[in-house]
Amino acid sequence: MEKNIRIMVLLLALLAAFGGMAKPSLPDLDFETYDKFPSSGWSISGGEAGYSFSVDDKVFQRGQRSVSVEFKGSKPNAGSFGYWLALQAKGQNIKLRGAVKTIGITDGWVGLMLNVHPDQAFSNMREQKLFGDNDWRDFEISLDVELKNASAITVGGVLSGNGKVWFDDLQILIDDKPLTSSQLRETPRAYKDDEFDSGSMLVLSGVDEATLINLDLLGRVWGFLKYHHPNAGGGDYNWDYELFRFLPDYLSVVDVQERDKSLVGWIDRLGKVTPCIDCKVTNQESVLKPDHRWFYEFGLSKELIKKLNSVYEGRRQGSSFYVTTNSRRRVIFSNEKAYSNMPYPDDGFRLLALYRYWNLVQYFFPYKHLTDKEWGSVLAEYIPLFLEAKNRLDYEKVALSLMGELKDTHANLWAGRGEVENMRGEFYPPVFTRFVEGELVVVDFYTENKRDISDMSRLSGLSIGDVITEIDGVAVEELVRDKLRYYPASNEASRLRDIAPDLLRSNKAKIDISFRRDKLMGNTSLKLFKKEELHVFQLYRKPKGEKSYKTIDGDIGYVTLATIEKKDVDSIKNQFKDAAGIIIDIRNYPNTPSMYSLGSFFVEDKRAFAKFTYPNINNPGEFGVGNVAVLKPSEVTFKGKLVVLVNENTQSQAEFTAMAFRAGRDTAIIGSKTSGADGNIVSFALPGLLRTTFSGLGVYYPDGGETQRVGIIPDLEVKQTIEGVKEGRDELVEKAIEVIRTREAAIK
């Protein structure tokens, strides 16, 4: 349930954004002028799940009214309300204050809600764990954020779980001063366009070859105008709906001459474009450059090519309605509506989903050149697949397949994957499996306490080290082949990592397993459980209550980044400065960033360890080389051997951290290929309440060496063996100790 709360709140913001608000004015945040709720400008989420919203003139903190949210359904989730305000303000901090009263809050919490768009900052007070019965109390959300980069805010409240809550006297402050109407801007016209809110009214399935070519071209023109034409990017048009307005006439053209003429007319109707005097030419040293080859590959008329080039020469500079960057040059996608009222989007909206995704990759994905397929060919391939998706499950599956084309483990369907999740199964095995030596192996049990493992083993009929060979009579190899395309990943190591824990899931409460133990074959009927009945962990365990560092094998330091705290770094340096060697385990996701603070312990002089490429929103499609990541030595540096442990669980920040440690004076990286998905992620929505991401900036070694898909290649490859799993040995740690002792002996 908690996983859905943020999604619902983000959707609430998107829905509110399209509520048709007019002049910039402050809403009634103390609810005194309302007789019913929601009133004009306010949006709610959760009504269909049993959450009721109303004005209460009997219970209030100040004035004569408050707003209440109460759960009256049978299966609690979350109910929330919000007001969207277009912002034009400067400042470093924004606060939302308000009074809250609760009765009988169980299975969740309540909180004020403040969201700074696009994806700048967010809080709904979940961390305060406000539940139970509480008389009126004043609460505050405070977010430190560069507001000049913010386009809007959403304010409101949320009830997660059962019970009833009242909200009163909300106040918005910027740098501790009340928000004024002068700090609001007029709502862009695109927000007021609601013509196709209920559907595109288009039927597109069963297209012939000529129509497919025309739709391929249209997707490119639509995306090109979206990110280049000053008026399309200015918020004057709802560009999603402009597609639906243009499509009927476009689909009726009889030949390419009429097709091109219709596209020229569309561009002309957007308004005149004047040549840009501030536009810079593409830097020839950029890693990626704008790709406009398609201007010349569709047999376009000279007039249409001229129009497209004129738009490029007069392209918008700076932030647009759909894309901006923050102070760290990270790209942010805004105003990409999720259309949550369409669980199974119609033909037009499914085509829109493909167009939106393809163009975001075309112009803002730093690793487009590393896909297996040439990205230009992907659009035509997927048009019929999206149009032929017959139901919600087909739609989710084809979306996952499209994301898989990026070969980026960050590119996945992180929300709105309901039918695919249902397909994978609501029942989970009590065992955690991984691929070891190419076979599916039981490596752990989903239990919080290790002492329970013997009981779990007895009840399941499985033991650690067992090799699963068949599931319900189907060979594991066949099951993997069938599922590969629905697990997007940068490389096979991370793909198999993600598939392994799902292979034993089912919609049945019991499955039949064939397995090999030593050289003997066995069978068991494995009982499965609902997820909430198990202590399910993803990828690896994080030992609760254990320090992130300890001494092993007498005088060797061991550090796991899975539990490292900021305060641990100085203690690690002090305790291990004279150790024979240090092992840093990054077969996990770091609990807190430590690449700079701890990495400085292992260098004796200034060392560059990575460089980045950044998107240029002034020239969509260009990724230029930016700053270089550098380690500066600590006052005291480590003189011994550093060994870093990695495997397929080492992903993103963990990989970046491994790159930093590799720059150390005497470092050996031991293990196997990492996930191959480095850098930050950017997120956006697709029609039908799908939420996805991909890598947002490029990460390279200082010499230009790739990390995406390649991963961090170990200096010494060491992989876990089935025998080691069975014996409970950590073979990577054993090899690390051996490497340190060998160096120690050589020095002596």
Side-chain angles (χ1 to χ4, degrees):
M1 180 182 67
E2 292 180 357
K3 185 184 287 186
N4 295 329
I5 303 303
R6 167 137 188 168
I7 299 165
M8 293 182 66
V9 171
L10 287 170
L11 283 171
L12 175 62
L14 289 165
L15 291 170
F18 284 77
M21 293 165 278
K23 295 180 180 179
S25 60
L26 291 169
D28 177 7
L29 295 177
D30 55 12
F31 313 116
E32 294 300 299
T33 62
Y34 303 145
D35 294 321
K36 63 179 183 178
F37 197 84
S39 188
S40 177
W42 292 91
S43 290
I44 61 172
S45 177
E48 71 287 348
Y51 288 87
S52 173
F53 304 80
S54 62
V55 172
D56 196 325
D57 59 4
K58 302 291 192 299
V59 179
F60 47 81
Q61 168 72 333
R62 289 176 278 273
Q64 301 295 318
R65 288 178 171 85
S66 68
V67 160
S68 69
V69 185
E70 183 177 8
F71 179 65
K72 296 182 178 180
S74 58
K75 188 176 181 181
N77 196 311
S80 54
F81 64 93
Y83 200 104
W84 185 93
L85 291 164
L87 203 64
Q88 54 177 13
K90 295 181 180 180
Q92 309 295 318
N93 176 271
I94 185 167
K95 292 184 174 71
L96 174 64
R97 292 174 180 166
V100 181
K101 174 183 172 70
T102 69
I103 289 180
I105 307 300
T106 61
D107 299 322
W109 82 97
V110 301
L112 303 174
M113 180 188 71
L114 175 59
N115 203 350
V116 183
H117 309 288
D119 287 345
Q120 296 280 316
F122 170 82
S123 176
N124 59 12
M125 286 177 43
R126 184 164 83 91
E127 69 283 354
Q128 296 192 35
K129 299 179 180 178
L130 180 61
F131 60 90
D133 299 335
N134 298 274
D135 203 356
W136 285 108
R137 290 169 55 191
D138 290 325
F139 291 91
E140 177 182 282
I141 291 173
S142 179
L143 300 176
D144 292 325
V145 61
E146 189 67 64
L147 289 173
K148 68 179 182 181
N149 297 319
S151 62
I153 58 173
T154 302
V155 298
V158 59
L159 163 60
S160 164
N162 295 291
K164 186 173 184 178
V165 56
W166 291 262
F167 297 91
D168 197 3
D169 195 27
L170 303 185
Q171 303 169 51
I172 306 168
L173 300 97
I174 292 180
D175 290 345
D176 291 317
K177 295 179 181 179
L179 178 73
T180 65
S181 58
S182 65
Q183 293 171 300
L184 303 177
R185 59 185 173 85
E186 185 175 355
T187 304
R189 283 186 293 177
Y191 289 146
K192 304 172 187 178
D193 183 353
D194 59 2
E195 181 177 352
F196 299 98
D197 283 1
S198 299
S200 71
M201 296 177 285
L202 293 168
V203 178
L204 301 171
S205 53
V207 298
D208 57 26
E209 184 64 26
T211 304
L212 176 60
I213 293 171
N214 288 348
L215 288 176
D216 183 2
L217 172 62
L218 178 61
R220 297 165 192 258
V221 173
W222 176 86
F224 175 77
L225 295 176
K226 177 178 180 178
Y227 294 119
H228 292 82
H229 199 290
N231 295 335
D236 292 334
Y237 299 93
N238 180 332
W239 204 237
D240 292 354
Y241 290 1
E242 289 302 312
L243 173 65
F244 300 151
R245 291 189 181 97
F246 181 68
L247 260 168
D249 288 341
Y250 181 76
L251 290 171
S252 67
V253 300
V254 297
D255 54 36
V256 295
Q257 290 78 21
E258 189 177 345
R259 177 198 69 186
D260 291 3
K261 186 177 179 180
S262 70
L263 290 169
V264 168
W266 193 26
I267 296 171
D268 284 341
R269 290 193 294 274
L270 290 175
K272 187 177 180 180
V273 177
T274 57
C276 171
I277 59 174
D278 298 324
C279 294
K280 296 181 179 178
V281 298
T282 302
N283 187 335
Q284 292 307 303
E285 294 184 0
S286 292
V287 174
L288 284 181
K289 304 174 183 65
D291 181 7
H292 300 151
R293 288 175 296 172
W294 60 271
F295 286 13
Y296 309 96
E297 293 174 347
F298 280 81
L300 304 183
S301 68
K302 292 181 179 179
E303 185 181 11
L304 179 53
I305 293 173
K306 183 178 179 180
K307 286 289 181 183
L308 293 170
N309 279 316
S310 70
V311 171
Y312 178 69
E313 291 165 3
R315 62 190 179 275
R316 185 181 184 88
Q317 297 294 282
S319 299
S320 78
F321 188 66
Y322 295 105
V323 62
T324 185
T325 53
N326 63 17
S327 58
R328 300 177 65 195
R329 300 172 67 185
R330 270 56 167 176
V331 70
I332 299 168
F333 303 127
S334 52
N335 299 308
E336 299 292 4
K337 197 176 178 185
Y339 302 105
S340 61
N341 61 319
M342 302 176 184
Y344 170 56
D346 64 27
D347 289 7
F349 276 94
R350 295 200 307 281
L351 183 66
L352 169 65
L354 174 59
Y355 281 2
R356 183 185 293 180
Y357 194 91
W358 188 89
N359 281 286
L360 283 167
V361 173
Q362 173 78 352
Y363 296 112
F364 302 109
F365 181 53
Y367 300 120
K368 187 181 66 170
H369 59 300
L370 298 180
T371 58
D372 288 347
K373 296 175 184 174
E374 199 277 324
W375 187 245
S377 69
V378 171
L379 184 56
E381 177 185 348
Y382 274 82
I383 287 172
L385 298 178
F386 269 78
L387 293 180
E388 292 165 9
K390 300 301 183 185
N391 50 46
R392 171 71 187 200
L393 176 59
D394 285 352
Y395 178 53
E396 290 180 17
K397 288 167 70 175
V398 73
L400 272 172
S401 296
L402 175 64
M403 294 163 195
E405 301 290 357
L406 267 60
K407 299 298 185 282
D408 177 20
T409 311
H410 283 151
N412 213 320
L413 193 55
W414 301 113
R417 194 169 61 185
E419 293 304 314
V420 165
E421 280 300 292
N422 291 339
M423 177 185 71
R424 290 173 179 170
E426 63 174 321
F427 293 100
Y428 289 71
V431 295
F432 179 53
T433 54
R434 282 181 57 201
F435 279 96
V436 181
E437 296 187 86
E439 301 195 86
L440 187 66
V441 178
V442 176
V443 298
D444 206 346
F445 285 83
Y446 285 130
T447 176
E448 188 168 6
N449 300 308
K450 288 285 189 178
R451 62 178 178 272
D452 296 335
I453 285 182
S454 58
D455 291 336
M456 294 287 280
S457 177
R458 178 175 51 81
L459 292 171
S460 67
L462 293 172
S463 296
I464 290 178
D466 286 352
V467 176
I468 309 294
T469 57
E470 291 186 358
I471 302 168
D472 279 337
V474 182
V476 166
E477 295 85 351
E478 184 178 341
L479 291 170
V480 169
R481 283 195 301 271
D482 185 55
K483 296 175 184 294
L484 278 176
R485 67 182 306 176
Y486 305 122
Y487 286 81
S490 301
N491 54 42
E492 285 309 297
S494 53
R495 192 190 310 275
L496 291 175
R497 175 201 71 190
D498 292 343
I499 290 175
D502 283 348
L503 285 173
L504 298 182
R505 286 174 59 181
S506 176
N507 282 311
K508 301 184 300 181
K510 193 172 284 188
I511 57 176
D512 293 326
I513 300 294
S514 298
F515 63 91
R516 186 177 73 249
R517 183 178 300 163
D518 296 324
K519 296 182 179 180
L520 301 176
M521 298 301 298
N523 298 283
T524 186
S525 185
L526 184 66
K527 180 182 178 182
L528 307 183
F529 301 84
K530 291 293 185 68
K531 191 173 185 178
E532 57 269 20
E533 298 178 276
L534 297 168
H535 182 65
V536 174
F537 49 89
Q538 184 155 359
L539 306 186
Y540 48 82
R541 287 184 182 269
K542 290 192 175 185
K544 291 186 177 179
E546 293 184 17
K547 279 186 175 181
S548 65
Y549 58 96
K550 61 184 177 182
T551 300
I552 63 173
D553 202 53
D555 59 351
I556 293 175
Y558 171 85
V559 180
T560 174
L561 299 193
T563 55
I564 194 168
E565 303 281 352
K566 186 176 180 180
K567 61 182 175 60
D568 293 346
V569 173
D570 286 341
S571 299
I572 290 168
K573 291 179 179 180
N574 290 331
Q575 182 167 329
F576 298 145
K577 63 180 183 294
D578 297 319
I582 296 176
I583 301 168
I584 296 183
D585 195 340
I586 326 182
R587 295 171 294 177
N588 48 57
Y589 192 84
N591 188 55
T592 191
S594 58
M595 68 287 293
Y596 293 104
S597 58
L598 189 52
S600 64
F601 188 43
F602 303 107
V603 295
E604 293 180 330
D605 50 24
K606 190 174 177 181
R607 293 291 301 274
F609 68 90
K611 66 180 181 182
F612 307 96
T613 63
Y614 295 96
N616 181 2
I617 63 171
N618 295 323
N619 192 22
E622 181 181 9
F623 273 80
V625 178
N627 60 301
V628 175
V630 174
L631 289 179
K632 298 178 182 179
S634 302
E635 290 184 10
V636 176
T637 59
F638 183 62
K639 306 299 182 184
K641 184 74 173 180
L642 170 63
V643 179
V644 178
L645 308 183
V646 300
N647 66 5
E648 69 276 10
N649 292 338
T650 308
Q651 179 172 315
S652 195
Q653 185 189 124
E655 293 177 285
F656 188 63
T657 304
M659 294 173 71
F661 292 150
R662 171 164 261 165
R665 183 186 62 84
D666 189 0
T667 302
I669 295 183
I670 288 179
S672 55
K673 180 186 289 190
T674 63
S675 175
D678 215 337
N680 76 314
I681 61 173
V682 292
S683 64
F684 53 95
L686 296 176
L689 194 53
L690 304 184
R691 194 155 191 88
T692 185
T693 59
F694 56 62
S695 297
L697 55 83
V699 181
Y700 298 81
Y701 285 107
D703 64 0
E706 301 276 6
T707 62
Q708 182 73 7
R709 299 193 65 182
V710 176
I712 308 303
I713 303 299
D715 301 304
L716 178 61
E717 186 176 66
V718 179
K719 294 184 178 180
Q720 195 173 20
T721 65
I722 297 173
E723 192 67 23
V725 170
K726 190 164 48 179
E727 295 174 357
R729 295 164 44 217
D730 191 330
E731 291 156 294
L732 272 70
V733 171
E734 292 174 357
K735 178 57 71 171
I737 292 172
E738 179 186 326
V739 168
I740 290 169
R741 294 302 182 206
T742 300
R743 176 188 182 275
E744 188 179 33
I747 293 174
K748 290 179 179 179

